Amino acid sequence: MTREDWGQDGTAMVAQSSAVRDWVGSAPYFFAVTDADGFDRADRAADIEAAEYIAPVKSERVVFDISELTDLGLENKVTEHAVVVLHPFGQRGLETLRRAVEANSVSKLFVLIWSRHDMIHTWLDGLRALNLHTHESAPANDPLLLAAAKMIKNEDYNGLSSGHGKDVIVQLVRAFAAEGYPVDPDLWLRAYFAVGGSFRHAESVHKLLEEMKAGTRHRVKQRYRENIVDILRERLAANADVTSD
């Protein structure tokens, strides 16, 4: 849920917070924040306000750093309690959150984000997370785009801002555009996140897509045949036949 949808100009915090409590479950309420030590500072007022509305009774709040979610994965622990993440930002915090979800270290997670334009919103849509405001999830990712996104993710180790990684992204986006797919950063990033892509490399994907959308013609080395989309389509069809057998 975005901060705007939660607050609605100060008219909906009570009702929306009640909906969050209903979904999260009973107390105590676990809040993961960017800086637990500085939680009571004035510049963290937005975090405090959200926590007070979601859990009005202070003794029922447990506040800790988002970074501590990493410890659960390293120790192969799973918290059975739902976790409420308040306004996460910064690549390190976002990546910690992504890895915790990937490792199934958190049984249930609610995320209150600043804006629908934040990268974390795209990540949540890529995972088809439920939006508690609309009670809907993003549409399913296109299987062809997922197949292409896996090819992009396979280049993560080389980096995606230049070299082979850049070659792969530019050629795949061009090939899909020729098939009628829009050069849409969010569309591609949702697919990239859905196959396990990281926030670190997502920044590079987003930058290249924005440049291509604006008309930049990148010079890249040829990595795939011109009919790469048809090849991927045939692979998906073959895999579907094997599965049905």
Side-chain angles (χ1 to χ4, degrees):
M1 185 184 293
T2 65
R3 177 87 184 180
E4 179 184 6
D5 290 337
W6 174 73
Q8 296 178 41
D9 295 322
T11 65
M13 285 98 82
V14 173
Q16 294 285 55
S17 296
S18 177
V20 172
R21 280 195 303 275
D22 289 343
W23 188 84
V24 167
S26 59
Y29 298 100
F30 287 68
F31 292 95
V33 299
T34 300
D35 180 12
D37 290 337
F39 181 71
D40 293 325
R41 291 202 316 258
D43 62 348
R44 309 306 301 166
D47 287 355
I48 297 171
E49 181 185 41
E52 289 177 342
Y53 271 100
I54 294 171
V57 180
K58 186 174 183 179
S59 62
E60 294 181 345
R61 300 178 213 142
V62 178
V63 180
F64 63 96
D65 277 342
I66 291 174
S67 61
E68 293 181 48
L69 291 172
T70 301
D71 298 334
L72 295 172
L74 293 174
E75 299 170 12
N76 294 318
K77 291 181 179 179
V78 179
T79 175
E80 299 300 332
H81 240 299
V83 174
V84 176
V85 183
L86 298 178
H87 310 114
F89 68 93
Q91 190 181 104
R92 179 177 296 181
L94 296 179
E95 191 59 20
T96 296
L97 191 58
R98 184 192 71 81
R99 291 185 178 185
V101 170
E102 188 176 69
N104 293 316
S105 300
V106 182
S107 61
K108 206 171 186 182
L109 192 73
F110 170 77
V111 187
L112 184 63
I113 65 176
W114 282 114
S115 166
R116 66 186 72 254
H117 302 296
D118 292 346
M119 185 77 76
I120 190 170
H121 188 272
T122 308
W123 173 67
L124 290 165
D125 277 351
L127 300 185
R128 304 199 65 215
L130 176 69
N131 185 330
L132 285 186
H133 175 62
T134 63
H135 299 285
E136 295 178 347
S137 299
N141 292 288
D142 185 298
L144 269 179
L145 273 179
L146 290 177
K150 288 179 181 177
M151 296 167 71
I152 292 172
K153 186 179 180 300
N154 286 342
E155 299 296 327
D156 278 359
Y157 68 97
N158 286 319
L160 300 179
S161 61
S162 61
H164 293 319
K166 178 180 177 180
D167 295 343
V168 167
I169 293 172
V170 172
Q171 287 178 48
L172 287 174
V173 173
R174 286 175 180 171
F176 274 74
E179 293 283 331
Y181 285 77
V183 182
D184 182 347
D186 282 342
L187 183 71
W188 280 89
L189 280 172
R190 286 199 297 269
Y192 176 71
F193 281 131
V195 299
S198 70
F199 282 97
R200 173 190 172 192
H201 294 300
E203 295 288 348
S204 299
V205 177
H206 184 267
K207 181 175 182 294
L208 283 172
L209 264 293
E210 286 287 1
E211 291 172 353
M212 295 180 73
K213 186 178 179 180
T216 301
R217 296 290 299 176
H218 296 94
R219 297 179 62 182
V220 294
K221 293 182 180 180
Q222 192 70 27
R223 293 288 304 275
Y224 303 116
R225 297 178 182 175
E226 291 185 0
N227 65 335
I228 182 61
V229 178
D230 287 334
I231 293 172
L232 291 176
R233 191 176 285 119
E234 291 170 4
R235 287 178 184 173
L236 286 175
N239 289 337
D241 289 341
V242 170
T243 302
S244 62
D245 291 341

